[in-house]
């Protein structure tokens, strides 16, 4: 796995235990944007250069708490 340069992990403490950072997560990038990691969603094909990932609701709730939202 490549290093997560410029990312602060917001999730990972709640929900199922994951090994090797291979579970759904939400990160805060240095530029303030949100980066998500999850299973590829195949419900439709996004435009070229874009991707869709599917993450469980508890991961987003944990990220919102970490951001104080």
């Amino acid at each position: 796995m490549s290093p997560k340069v410029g990312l602060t992990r917001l999730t990972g403490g709640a929900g199922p235990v994951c090994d090797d950072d291979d579970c759904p997560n939400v990160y805060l990038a240095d530029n303030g944007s949100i980066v998500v990691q999850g299973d590829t969603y195949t419900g439709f094909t996004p435009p070229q250069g874009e991707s869709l990932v599917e993450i469980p609701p508890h991961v987003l709730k944990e990220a919102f708490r970490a951001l104080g939202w």
Side-chain angles (χ1 to χ4, degrees), residues 46-58:
Q48 186 173 359
E50 296 183 5
S51 298
L52 301 168
V53 297
E54 188 170 7
I55 61 173
H58 78 271

Side-chain angles (χ1 to χ4, degrees), residues 3 6 18 23-24 26-31 36-37 41-42 44 48-49 52-55 58-60 68:
C18 300
C23 55
V26 178
Y27 300 89
L28 180 63
D30 286 347
N31 66 3
V36 296
Q37 171 188 350
Y41 181 75
T42 59
F44 79 96
Q48 186 173 359
L52 301 168
V53 297
E54 188 170 7
I55 61 173
H58 78 271
V59 174
L60 286 179

Side-chain angles (χ1 to χ4, degrees), residues 9-16 23-28 33-39 53-69:
R9 188 172 174 171
L10 300 176
T11 57
C23 55
N25 280 298
V26 178
Y27 300 89
L28 180 63
S33 66
I34 301 294
V35 177
V36 296
Q37 171 188 350
D39 294 330
V53 297
E54 188 170 7
I55 61 173
H58 78 271
V59 174
L60 286 179
K61 289 177 184 177
E62 185 180 353
F64 293 157
R65 281 193 300 274
L67 290 168
W69 294 358

